[in-house]
Structure formats: structure tokens, C-alpha cells
Amino acid sequence: MKRLRLILIVFALLLTVPLVWLVTRTYDGLAREETSQLAFFAETILDQMEVDLSQLINREEGRSVDEYGKGPGATAPLAARPKEDFIIGYFQNGPDGSFRSPMDDPEKDLVLVNDELREVNELFNRKRETAVLRPEPVVKPAVRAEQFANKKKEASFAERYLSSANLSRQRTAVNQEEKRVEEITISQASQIATRKPSLKSLEADFDALASNSYRADNLPAAAPAPMMEGLAGAGRDNMAAEPMIDRMTDQAVEAETDIGALDAIEPRRSTFKVEISPLQSLLIDRERAFIFRNILLQGESYRQGFVIRIPALFEHLATRYFRNEPMARFTALQLAVTGKEAETANLAAGITASDPVYTVGRTFPRPFSFISASLSCDKIPASSGRRTLLIMSIGLTVIVLLGFLAVYQSARVIHDLSERKTGFVSSVTHELKTPLTNIRLYIEMLEQGMAKSPEQEQEYFRIVGSESNRLVRLINNVLEFAKLEKRQRSVNLRPGDLSEVVSEVKDILHDRLRQEDFTFTTRIPDEFKPFSYDREIMVQILTNLVENSIKFGSRSPVREITLKAERSGQRVLISVADTGPGIPEQARKKVFDDFYRVENALTRQTKGTGIGLALVRKFTVAMGGTVSIANNPGAGCTVTVSLPEK
């Protein structure tokens, strides 16, 4: 057994090392997977915010340049309140710092909004005087046009981070990155310009006239001398235009014409070219920013844009893309203004991450490059595979341990059985030798005439007969045990009187009881009815029980054996009680095992085969009954055989 235990321990260690390595590596892989999942969905939330801002900028960059103006009889698309609560309103800043807003309409209850826009315009002019406004560096969006959740298999873990509604949002926005040039009509130009046209602009018009860009019958009423010279130098052939040119020359002496005079000039191609720069931003104060674009018209710059309230914008982004998401339960969102105005508005949503183990941050592309966003968490959510791995690891460990335990237990049982069989052979040899020795001794005494009287001679014969019966019972027990093991023993159940069996047992053990000075008492009611049993088997059962009590109770001060029979429901209970030493508690479940003997000082002094009680159990089970053993309140124990009443 020591060698077997050593082999099992070595095998367990060899099996444990790769299992531990496998589980550890799997846990590391799950940890990386959990981090990757969190990173993916954190980036997805930031991407969605960036998409929202990009769509806003695309919309604003697509506006016509004249939408910010307000001329006589013209419609003003931006005159109403913006649908976004974080946009205060729209206005245009002229080359001279002048203010023009489509929201300057008292009838629409926008006085307070217009006053605030005027204030922003003044603050913008002050900042423009102290800083040179340059377009912000182009920062390409962090992600391209794509569908965030384009695989159905991602939905198994995606819902732990984002709701299904936001998983299907697509990237569609790419901001304007370079300046563009557009052509606008005179009417559109009149909605932008805030000053009267200069002689230089008229000169440009007459340059076009010199190149035959105008029809002679529609020439303006006056033109400056430089334009006439240019016209003559061009070699014009249409002399019908001279009266109109003379009139334009006379009018050019006066002050610059009103902007409406542009309508008097109707060129064959009545357009102006304007240069439009990408949107950029300027922080006005702690909570407001001006998002604007430069419009270059006839060499003069106009700034058109809208004013946003930064805290409201942060609240919009947090509410729409974070607060209602599952991620808000275990991550923290931080939106803040970066750069020189770092002390301005910021917003925190979700849980408080005191000691974050993971953080992802982003600065949004222009014109919102002054806004930074970050997501962090103290504990990364466990993957569903981690629980499965834990269950499988525990299950595998339990199975392996149970396997080792089963192997060890089986080996121990086989080893114990082998030892008991070895002890059984030794005990049988001793049990056979003892009666044979007694028989031989008394026969030799009879042969030598050592019996001094006929009575003594009869006593010798009686002892020889008793030992012979003892030898026969021992041999019968061994043979019956072998038959039961091979399942060759048949059971013949017939109704019978138990009193007859008890009388036979008394006759068999009479000499042994008298020799050991035992009192054998039977308690069978007179009205005890016959029941079905195998007579030969019943005799062997009761003989083994009584003989077992004699063997282990021979050293007790009180030597009594009581056999009692009674009925309990549909069963017959036959019990044999003695006044011996009893059975240790830990041995009660094993005394009916094959070749088992209780290990104590008494059993070492008392020889036996260890198959007596094993035969009792096997015989009882063969007749459909059960057997049990229990210590008495006083000395001794009681063995009870329960048989069905048939």
C-alpha cells in the first residue's frame, strides 16, 4: 500500500502541473478577452459621440453662405430656435466686427438669445484683437465609415456593454478638411455683405465688361475712367456701349453706391466666387464656444457660425450615448475642455473610478478639438467564459480527486481483502487443527485404556463427538460460503415451526454451552405462527449466531444467551442477545463483511475464520431479509434477523 500511495501521489503531481498551467493560461486569455471587449465597446461609445459631432459639423458646413444673412424680403432658415438645446444661436461676424444674425427678429421672442449672441460677438472681437485666428490643424476622425456591430455573434456579449439600439449605428460622417470655393449669386452676396461695394469691385465688373462678359444694352449707368481705359485697350467693337459707360463714369465720382446697385449689373454669368474654410472653434468663456467658418468674399473675411453651451453639449452626449447603457454601471465617463481653458466646464457620469485598472481617452477632431473624453473602470466585468471555466475546473478537479480516491479505495479494499483471506486461511487451519487435535488426543487416551471407568470412557466419546460436530460445522460453513460466492446455493422456502429449529440448535450446541457454562434462554410465544424459511439455512444462521456469542462471551462474568422471536407488521424478527463485550461502533458496519474480524485484544486471543457473520448476512439476504447488530444498554450486543412473513 505504501508503494501504491507513492505512485498515486507522483501521478497526481504529474497531472496537476499541466492542468494548473492550462487553467492559468485560459484565465489569462479570458482576462485579455475581457479587456479587449471593454476596449472595443468603450471606443464604440466614443465613436458614437464623435459621429454625433461629425454629423452636426457636416450639417453646418453644408449650409449656404447666405443663410446667416437677413435681407429685405429674404427668408431666414436659421431665424428659429435651434433644435439642439446646446446650440444658443447663429450669427455672422463682419470684416469690421459688425454683428448680423438671422435671429434678430423681435416678433419671434428671441430678444434674450439675440442679446447673448451680440455679447458673444463682442467677446469674439476682443479675442480676435489679441490673437491671430488660424484654421485648426486637420485631425482625421479616429474611425472610418463602418457598422459598429456588424456580426451577430458579437451580440452574445455586446449587451453587457451597449444597448442593441446603439449597436447598429453607422459611421457616415467625414468632416471638411480643406478650403473650398463656391459660386454665389449677387442676391446671395447681398445677404452676406455688410458694406457698400468699392470702386475696386466695380472695376472688376468692367474688366469683365471689357472681355465681352456683359451685354451692351444692360451696361451700368456709370463707370470709372480706369475701367474705360481698360475697355478701350481691349479693342471693343460695340460702340453702342459708350453712352452707358459715360453715365457710369459720372456716377463713379459720387459716393459708393448702395449694395442694391449690384442688381443693376446683370452679367451674362451673374456670380461671385467665395472661399469657404473648414469650421474652427474659439472658446469664448468658461461655458461657451463659437464654432465658425471664414468666408472670403472680394478680399474681405466674414465669420459665420453658431454658439454652443459646453455643459449642455456634455449633458447631451452623456445622456444619449452613456447614461442609459449597461456600461454606466461599472465605468466612469469624463468629458472636459482641454488646452488653455482646462479649468472650464467638465462632466462626470457613471460610477466613480477611484483606482482605475483600465482607461481609454480621446480628443475629438476639429472643430471640437478642445473637448476630450475618457472612460475608465475599477473592475473589468467578468466574461461568461470565466464562470464556465471555473465550473469546469472545479468539476475536473473533483472528478480527478474522486478518481484517485476510487483507485486508492479499491486498491485498499483489495489489499485488505487479500490480507483477510490470508488471515482466513490461517484461521481455518487453526480451527481445523484444534478439533482434530482434540479428537486424536481422546482417541489415543481411549486406545491406551486411560479411561478408569465406563462413565469416563463415555465422557471421552462425548468430547470426540462434540469436536467432530464442530469440525463438520466449520467445513460446512466454508463449503456454504464457497457456494454462495459462486451463486450455486439454492434456497428452499417452506412454512415451518421456528421452535423445532431452535430445539435442533440447542442439541447441536448443548455440549459447547455446558462446557462454557452458558445459560441459553428462548422466548418464542406459544401462539407464534409458522412462516416460510429454509430450514437448513435457518439452522446454520442460529447456530453461527449462538456459537459466535459463546466464543466472544466466554470471558464475561455473566454468561447468558437469549433467543427471541416476534412479529412486526408483515415481518418476523429473530434476535440473539448475549452479555459479551459488544461491538465497537466503527466496526458495526463491517462485521458482516467477508473475513472481517474486529481488531482488539479479545479477537487476538480468540481464534475464528471471520465468515460466521458473513454467512449470516448472505443467508438472510438469500431469503429476502436483512440483518443488523446493536449493542445492548448493558453488556453485550444483539443481532437481529428480519425476514418477510410469507
Side-chain angles (χ1 to χ4, degrees), residues 497-565:
D497 190 354
L498 186 62
S499 299
E500 297 177 0
V501 176
V502 173
S503 298
E504 184 176 349
V505 172
K506 282 184 177 181
D507 293 339
I508 293 173
L509 298 175
H510 177 268
D511 292 337
R512 185 78 182 275
L513 290 169
R514 186 177 61 83
Q515 184 179 356
E516 298 292 343
D517 195 20
F518 269 86
T519 300
F520 184 58
T521 304
T522 60
R523 296 177 181 176
I524 302 176
D526 295 336
E527 67 277 6
F528 196 81
K529 297 179 181 180
F531 65 99
S532 298
Y533 58 89
D534 187 309
R535 180 182 177 86
E536 184 179 352
I537 288 179
M538 184 62 71
V539 170
Q540 283 187 288
I541 288 176
L542 296 180
T543 300
N544 282 336
L545 291 178
V546 174
E547 192 171 26
N548 193 71
S549 296
I550 294 173
K551 183 187 299 182
F552 292 100
S554 59
R555 290 179 173 80
S556 299
V558 179
R559 302 176 184 180
E560 293 181 357
I561 299 175
T562 302
L563 190 150
K564 183 172 64 172

Side-chain angles (χ1 to χ4, degrees), residues 61 135 176 178-180 275-280 292-296:
E61 285 184 335
Q176 176 187 344
E178 298 178 354
K179 296 180 180 180
R180 71 177 188 270
E275 184 180 85
I276 304 175
S277 299
L279 284 170
Q280 56 183 304
F292 65 94
R293 62 186 179 183
N294 281 322
I295 304 296
L296 188 60

Side-chain angles (χ1 to χ4, degrees), residues 125-155:
N125 289 331
R126 295 175 190 172
K127 287 182 175 288
R128 189 178 61 173
E129 294 174 359
T130 58
V132 179
L133 297 178
R134 295 188 180 94
E136 298 180 42
V138 174
V139 180
K140 294 186 178 181
V143 294
R144 300 178 186 141
E146 63 182 0
Q147 189 170 353
F148 292 127
N150 55 357
K151 295 183 180 179
K152 292 183 179 179
K153 64 180 181 180
E154 293 178 356

Side-chain angles (χ1 to χ4, degrees), residues 344-579:
T344 57
N346 62 75
L347 178 141
I351 66 169
T352 302
S354 57
D355 187 18
V357 297
Y358 176 82
T359 301
V360 58
R362 177 179 298 180
T363 298
F364 294 116
R366 123 191 111 67
F368 292 102
S369 54
F370 62 92
I371 298 177
S372 66
S374 65
L375 281 166
S376 57
C377 67
D378 289 335
K379 183 179 180 182
I380 299 176
S383 170
S384 57
R386 186 180 292 272
R387 182 179 180 183
T388 302
L389 177 62
L390 178 62
I391 294 175
M392 294 299 295
S393 301
I394 295 176
L396 182 61
T397 302
V398 171
I399 291 173
V400 171
L401 291 178
L402 290 177
F404 279 116
L405 183 61
V407 171
Y408 176 76
Q409 186 69 12
S410 300
R412 189 181 65 81
V413 169
I414 294 173
H415 180 266
D416 293 344
L417 182 61
S418 176
E419 288 187 345
R420 290 202 298 270
K421 284 184 177 181
T422 302
F424 167 73
V425 173
S426 177
S427 299
V428 168
T429 302
H430 181 270
E431 290 290 324
L432 292 174
K433 183 178 180 181
T434 299
L436 287 174
T437 300
N438 290 337
I439 291 172
R440 180 181 179 184
L441 175 62
Y442 282 100
I443 289 177
E444 288 178 353
M445 291 173 65
L446 290 171
E447 288 177 347
Q448 294 175 7
M450 297 182 66
K452 297 180 180 180
S453 62
E455 291 80 7
Q456 191 175 14
E457 185 175 293
Q458 290 297 321
E459 177 66 19
Y460 289 171
F461 281 124
R462 186 187 61 77
I463 293 174
V464 170
S466 176
E467 293 296 325
S468 298
N469 291 333
R470 179 182 174 186
L471 184 60
V472 170
R473 290 196 302 274
L474 177 61
I475 294 173
N476 286 339
N477 282 342
V478 175
L479 294 176
E480 291 291 343
F481 185 83
K483 289 180 181 179
L484 289 171
E485 285 293 307
K486 296 179 181 180
R487 298 186 179 181
Q488 297 176 350
R489 181 66 164 85
S490 60
V491 178
N492 185 17
L493 298 177
R494 292 183 180 180
D497 190 354
L498 186 62
S499 299
E500 297 177 0
V501 176
V502 173
S503 298
E504 184 176 349
V505 172
K506 282 184 177 181
D507 293 339
I508 293 173
L509 298 175
H510 177 268
D511 292 337
R512 185 78 182 275
L513 290 169
R514 186 177 61 83
Q515 184 179 356
E516 298 292 343
D517 195 20
F518 269 86
T519 300
F520 184 58
T521 304
T522 60
R523 296 177 181 176
I524 302 176
D526 295 336
E527 67 277 6
F528 196 81
K529 297 179 181 180
F531 65 99
S532 298
Y533 58 89
D534 187 309
R535 180 182 177 86
E536 184 179 352
I537 288 179
M538 184 62 71
V539 170
Q540 283 187 288
I541 288 176
L542 296 180
T543 300
N544 282 336
L545 291 178
V546 174
E547 192 171 26
N548 193 71
S549 296
I550 294 173
K551 183 187 299 182
F552 292 100
S554 59
R555 290 179 173 80
S556 299
V558 179
R559 302 176 184 180
E560 293 181 357
I561 299 175
T562 302
L563 190 150
K564 183 172 64 172
E566 59 183 347
R567 277 184 167 83
S568 177
Q570 299 297 321
R571 303 188 73 83
V572 176
L573 303 180
I574 304 170
S575 60
V576 177
D578 58 40
T579 56

Side-chain angles (χ1 to χ4, degrees), residues 294-308:
N294 281 322
I295 304 296
L296 188 60
L297 174 62
Q298 294 184 318
E300 294 182 330
S301 292
Y302 300 85
R303 296 168 185 86
Q304 298 176 341
F306 56 97
V307 182
I308 63 171

